[in-house]
PDB file of all heavy atoms in Angstrom:
ATOM      1  N   SER A 185      53.737 -21.118  -4.017  1.00  0.00           N
ATOM      2  CA  SER A 185      52.347 -21.478  -3.946  1.00  0.00           C
ATOM      3  C   SER A 185      52.010 -22.666  -4.896  1.00  0.00           C
ATOM      4  O   SER A 185      52.879 -23.025  -5.733  1.00  0.00           O
ATOM      5  CB  SER A 185      51.374 -20.293  -4.267  1.00  0.00           C
ATOM      6  OG  SER A 185      51.608 -19.798  -5.584  1.00  0.00           O
ATOM      7  N   ARG A 186      50.884 -23.341  -4.779  1.00  0.00           N
ATOM      8  CA  ARG A 186      50.509 -24.396  -5.642  1.00  0.00           C
ATOM      9  C   ARG A 186      49.099 -24.469  -5.926  1.00  0.00           C
ATOM     10  O   ARG A 186      48.256 -24.001  -5.156  1.00  0.00           O
ATOM     11  CB  ARG A 186      51.035 -25.691  -5.024  1.00  0.00           C
ATOM     12  CG  ARG A 186      50.296 -26.181  -3.812  1.00  0.00           C
ATOM     13  CD  ARG A 186      51.072 -27.328  -3.083  1.00  0.00           C
ATOM     14  NE  ARG A 186      51.146 -28.514  -3.967  1.00  0.00           N
ATOM     15  CZ  ARG A 186      51.947 -29.594  -3.735  1.00  0.00           C
ATOM     16  NH1 ARG A 186      52.675 -29.583  -2.647  1.00  0.00           N
ATOM     17  NH2 ARG A 186      52.005 -30.567  -4.541  1.00  0.00           N
ATOM     18  N   ASP A 187      48.733 -25.094  -7.051  1.00  0.00           N
ATOM     19  CA  ASP A 187      47.398 -25.342  -7.404  1.00  0.00           C
ATOM     20  C   ASP A 187      47.342 -26.825  -7.709  1.00  0.00           C
ATOM     21  O   ASP A 187      47.701 -27.346  -8.798  1.00  0.00           O
ATOM     22  CB  ASP A 187      47.015 -24.581  -8.711  1.00  0.00           C
ATOM     23  CG  ASP A 187      45.506 -24.843  -9.118  1.00  0.00           C
ATOM     24  OD1 ASP A 187      44.900 -25.731  -8.562  1.00  0.00           O
ATOM     25  OD2 ASP A 187      45.059 -24.035 -10.032  1.00  0.00           O
ATOM     26  N   ASN A 188      46.923 -27.633  -6.746  1.00  0.00           N
ATOM     27  CA  ASN A 188      46.900 -29.039  -6.813  1.00  0.00           C
ATOM     28  C   ASN A 188      45.999 -29.585  -7.914  1.00  0.00           C
ATOM     29  O   ASN A 188      46.309 -30.581  -8.537  1.00  0.00           O
ATOM     30  CB  ASN A 188      46.493 -29.685  -5.423  1.00  0.00           C
ATOM     31  CG  ASN A 188      47.584 -29.528  -4.357  1.00  0.00           C
ATOM     32  OD1 ASN A 188      48.765 -29.308  -4.659  1.00  0.00           O
ATOM     33  ND2 ASN A 188      47.217 -29.584  -3.162  1.00  0.00           N
ATOM     34  N   ALA A 189      44.905 -28.929  -8.160  1.00  0.00           N
ATOM     35  CA  ALA A 189      44.031 -29.295  -9.215  1.00  0.00           C
ATOM     36  C   ALA A 189      44.620 -29.345 -10.544  1.00  0.00           C
ATOM     37  O   ALA A 189      44.219 -30.044 -11.474  1.00  0.00           O
ATOM     38  CB  ALA A 189      42.669 -28.557  -9.205  1.00  0.00           C
ATOM     39  N   ASP A 190      45.595 -28.388 -10.683  1.00  0.00           N
ATOM     40  CA  ASP A 190      46.237 -28.205 -11.971  1.00  0.00           C
ATOM     41  C   ASP A 190      47.704 -28.763 -11.963  1.00  0.00           C
ATOM     42  O   ASP A 190      48.402 -28.590 -12.971  1.00  0.00           O
ATOM     43  CB  ASP A 190      46.265 -26.666 -12.342  1.00  0.00           C
ATOM     44  CG  ASP A 190      46.445 -26.353 -13.743  1.00  0.00           C
ATOM     45  OD1 ASP A 190      45.964 -27.218 -14.609  1.00  0.00           O
ATOM     46  OD2 ASP A 190      47.078 -25.376 -14.111  1.00  0.00           O
ATOM     47  N   ASN A 191      48.178 -29.359 -10.872  1.00  0.00           N
ATOM     48  CA  ASN A 191      49.526 -29.862 -10.697  1.00  0.00           C
ATOM     49  C   ASN A 191      50.515 -28.745 -11.139  1.00  0.00           C
ATOM     50  O   ASN A 191      51.486 -28.997 -11.840  1.00  0.00           O
ATOM     51  CB  ASN A 191      49.709 -31.110 -11.577  1.00  0.00           C
ATOM     52  CG  ASN A 191      49.080 -32.339 -10.965  1.00  0.00           C
ATOM     53  OD1 ASN A 191      48.091 -32.899 -11.515  1.00  0.00           O
ATOM     54  ND2 ASN A 191      49.533 -32.735  -9.849  1.00  0.00           N
ATOM     55  N   THR A 192      50.347 -27.606 -10.620  1.00  0.00           N
ATOM     56  CA  THR A 192      51.182 -26.449 -10.891  1.00  0.00           C
ATOM     57  C   THR A 192      51.748 -25.837  -9.593  1.00  0.00           C
ATOM     58  O   THR A 192      51.009 -25.694  -8.631  1.00  0.00           O
ATOM     59  CB  THR A 192      50.353 -25.374 -11.697  1.00  0.00           C
ATOM     60  OG1 THR A 192      49.831 -26.010 -12.820  1.00  0.00           O
ATOM     61  CG2 THR A 192      51.333 -24.302 -12.133  1.00  0.00           C
ATOM     62  N   VAL A 193      53.003 -25.473  -9.627  1.00  0.00           N
ATOM     63  CA  VAL A 193      53.674 -24.822  -8.566  1.00  0.00           C
ATOM     64  C   VAL A 193      54.235 -23.480  -9.093  1.00  0.00           C
ATOM     65  O   VAL A 193      54.763 -23.396 -10.102  1.00  0.00           O
ATOM     66  CB  VAL A 193      54.753 -25.688  -7.916  1.00  0.00           C
ATOM     67  CG1 VAL A 193      55.396 -25.041  -6.711  1.00  0.00           C
ATOM     68  CG2 VAL A 193      54.244 -27.100  -7.569  1.00  0.00           C
ATOM     69  N   TYR A 194      54.118 -22.469  -8.293  1.00  0.00           N
ATOM     70  CA  TYR A 194      54.527 -21.135  -8.586  1.00  0.00           C
ATOM     71  C   TYR A 194      55.628 -20.571  -7.685  1.00  0.00           C
ATOM     72  O   TYR A 194      55.609 -21.021  -6.441  1.00  0.00           O
ATOM     73  CB  TYR A 194      53.354 -20.155  -8.610  1.00  0.00           C
ATOM     74  CG  TYR A 194      52.217 -20.564  -9.532  1.00  0.00           C
ATOM     75  CD1 TYR A 194      51.121 -21.237  -8.968  1.00  0.00           C
ATOM     76  CD2 TYR A 194      52.206 -20.232 -10.861  1.00  0.00           C
ATOM     77  CE1 TYR A 194      50.055 -21.663  -9.723  1.00  0.00           C
ATOM     78  CE2 TYR A 194      51.157 -20.638 -11.665  1.00  0.00           C
ATOM     79  CZ  TYR A 194      50.118 -21.304 -11.125  1.00  0.00           C
ATOM     80  OH  TYR A 194      48.974 -21.695 -11.878  1.00  0.00           O
ATOM     81  N   LEU A 195      56.433 -19.692  -8.146  1.00  0.00           N
ATOM     82  CA  LEU A 195      57.365 -19.030  -7.258  1.00  0.00           C
ATOM     83  C   LEU A 195      57.295 -17.492  -7.689  1.00  0.00           C
ATOM     84  O   LEU A 195      57.742 -17.139  -8.769  1.00  0.00           O
ATOM     85  CB  LEU A 195      58.775 -19.494  -7.475  1.00  0.00           C
ATOM     86  CG  LEU A 195      59.778 -18.886  -6.469  1.00  0.00           C
ATOM     87  CD1 LEU A 195      59.532 -19.290  -4.994  1.00  0.00           C
ATOM     88  CD2 LEU A 195      61.211 -19.288  -6.928  1.00  0.00           C
ATOM     89  N   GLN A 196      56.706 -16.660  -6.859  1.00  0.00           N
ATOM     90  CA  GLN A 196      56.650 -15.243  -7.027  1.00  0.00           C
ATOM     91  C   GLN A 196      57.959 -14.695  -6.439  1.00  0.00           C
ATOM     92  O   GLN A 196      58.146 -14.871  -5.183  1.00  0.00           O
ATOM     93  CB  GLN A 196      55.444 -14.604  -6.362  1.00  0.00           C
ATOM     94  CG  GLN A 196      55.298 -13.107  -6.550  1.00  0.00           C
ATOM     95  CD  GLN A 196      55.099 -12.624  -7.986  1.00  0.00           C
ATOM     96  OE1 GLN A 196      54.266 -13.219  -8.687  1.00  0.00           O
ATOM     97  NE2 GLN A 196      55.948 -11.651  -8.433  1.00  0.00           N
ATOM     98  N   MET A 197      58.692 -13.928  -7.199  1.00  0.00           N
ATOM     99  CA  MET A 197      59.992 -13.459  -6.825  1.00  0.00           C
ATOM    100  C   MET A 197      59.920 -11.946  -6.873  1.00  0.00           C
ATOM    101  O   MET A 197      59.757 -11.350  -7.995  1.00  0.00           O
ATOM    102  CB  MET A 197      61.150 -13.929  -7.611  1.00  0.00           C
ATOM    103  CG  MET A 197      61.167 -15.515  -7.616  1.00  0.00           C
ATOM    104  SD  MET A 197      62.643 -16.161  -8.507  1.00  0.00           S
ATOM    105  CE  MET A 197      62.349 -15.463 -10.153  1.00  0.00           C
ATOM    106  N   ASN A 198      60.043 -11.204  -5.721  1.00  0.00           N
ATOM    107  CA  ASN A 198      60.045  -9.822  -5.677  1.00  0.00           C
ATOM    108  C   ASN A 198      61.342  -9.236  -5.136  1.00  0.00           C
ATOM    109  O   ASN A 198      62.144  -9.995  -4.562  1.00  0.00           O
ATOM    110  CB  ASN A 198      58.909  -9.319  -4.821  1.00  0.00           C
ATOM    111  CG  ASN A 198      57.570  -9.713  -5.303  1.00  0.00           C
ATOM    112  OD1 ASN A 198      57.266  -9.756  -6.489  1.00  0.00           O
ATOM    113  ND2 ASN A 198      56.605 -10.029  -4.332  1.00  0.00           N
ATOM    114  N   SER A 199      61.634  -7.977  -5.291  1.00  0.00           N
ATOM    115  CA  SER A 199      62.844  -7.321  -4.866  1.00  0.00           C
ATOM    116  C   SER A 199      64.085  -8.127  -5.216  1.00  0.00           C
ATOM    117  O   SER A 199      64.940  -8.453  -4.440  1.00  0.00           O
ATOM    118  CB  SER A 199      62.774  -7.176  -3.378  1.00  0.00           C
ATOM    119  OG  SER A 199      61.663  -6.349  -2.944  1.00  0.00           O
TER     120      SER A 199
END
Side-chain angles (χ1 to χ4, degrees):
S185 61
R186 70 192 298 167
D187 181 350
N188 288 336
D190 202 31
N191 286 113
T192 305
V193 186
Y194 304 94
L195 186 67
Q196 179 67 46
M197 306 186 296
N198 299 325
S199 302

